Amino acid sequence: FSCRDTQATTGVPEPGSDGAPPLRPALFAARPNPTTGRTAIAFVNAVENGRVEIQIYDVTGRLVKTLVDGPLPAGPQETTWDGNTERGSNAAAGLYFYRMTAGGYTDAKRLVLVR
């Protein structure tokens, strides 16, 4: 009997026993950053059909644009920001923050928009 082989003795697979490690939520650096308009933001959703929210904020904390808001499949994902506000106008050059919230996970990163 091996402590590592619980599936053989219990019939219940251990998390990640399919060879893949369990997913963990993550938010990655935008690319390119700084950006002149379009930038890609990669992230990982750890829960199948879990609600994910990714939003862009200016330095005063005002919401500029919501990029993602809803359930997504588990796994690596990517969204883009085109440098526009919710109303479709060009956001001003400057420092912005993008924040991901998924379940109990929250992370934010900086993004510089140059025009």
Side-chain angles (χ1 to χ4, degrees), residues 23-26 43-54 68-78 100 102:
L23 289 174
R24 293 184 182 199
F43 61 97
V44 175
N45 180 28
V47 178
E48 185 64 31
N49 294 317
R51 185 173 180 270
V52 176
E53 189 174 75
I54 298 180
V68 176
D69 186 10
L72 292 175
Q77 310 282 333
E78 187 173 271
M100 174 181 165

Side-chain angles (χ1 to χ4, degrees), residues 63-113:
L63 176 65
V64 174
K65 188 160 187 178
T66 298
L67 303 178
V68 176
D69 186 10
L72 292 175
Q77 310 282 333
E78 187 173 271
T79 188
T80 58
W81 182 40
D82 58 7
N84 291 334
T85 67
E86 292 282 9
R87 296 181 181 171
S89 61
N90 286 337
L95 178 64
Y96 291 87
F97 297 91
Y98 56 101
R99 182 180 73 183
M100 174 181 165
T101 305
Y105 174 84
T106 299
D107 193 10
K109 300 206 180 296
R110 290 179 290 206
L111 173 62
V112 176
L113 177 64

